[in-house]
């Protein structure tokens, strides 16, 4: 699930929610909402997350081949 992946990968990279928010030019509360699953990142933010985490979009959203 996307929300779980964002949180898991963020933590594995040693980033706080605030750190990630700063890199994506959003507020920390936005990252928190993504991780809680109450909102979903827009496509441009998904692409930035994918690039930052060095994952494909499929991997980021939890889609298996």
């Amino acid at each position: 699930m996307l929300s779980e992946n964002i949180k898991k990968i963020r933590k594995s990279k040693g980033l706080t929610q605030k750190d990630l928010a700063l890199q994506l030019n959003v507020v920390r509360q936005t990252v928190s909402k993504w991780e809680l699953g109450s909102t979903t990142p827009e496509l441009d933010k998904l692409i930035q997350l994918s690039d930052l985490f060095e994952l494909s979009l499929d991997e980021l959203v939890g889609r298996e081949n």
Side-chain angles (χ1 to χ4, degrees), residues 4 6-7 10 19 21 25-26 30 32 38 41-44 50 59-60 64-65:
E4 295 168 0
I6 293 172
K7 185 175 184 176
R10 172 185 60 78
D19 294 334
N25 200 29
V26 298
T30 299
S32 176
S38 60
E42 296 289 328
L43 182 58
D44 65 322
S50 174
E59 292 170 313
L60 181 62
E64 298 293 324
N65 289 336

Side-chain angles (χ1 to χ4, degrees), residues 36-52:
L36 292 171
S38 60
T39 62
T40 303
E42 296 289 328
L43 182 58
D44 65 322
K45 297 304 179 192
L46 283 172
I47 292 169
Q48 288 179 330
L49 282 165
S50 174
D51 290 344
L52 179 66

Side-chain angles (χ1 to χ4, degrees), residues 1 4 10-12 15 23 28 46 50-51 55 58 62:
M1 177 175 255
E4 295 168 0
R10 172 185 60 78
K11 286 185 171 188
S12 75
L15 298 170
Q23 291 190 39
R28 185 205 55 81
L46 283 172
S50 174
D51 290 344
L55 297 172
D58 283 345

Side-chain angles (χ1 to χ4, degrees), residues 24-37:
L24 298 173
N25 200 29
V26 298
V27 295
R28 185 205 55 81
Q29 289 83 351
T30 299
V31 174
S32 176
K33 288 178 183 180
W34 294 343
E35 291 182 355
L36 292 171

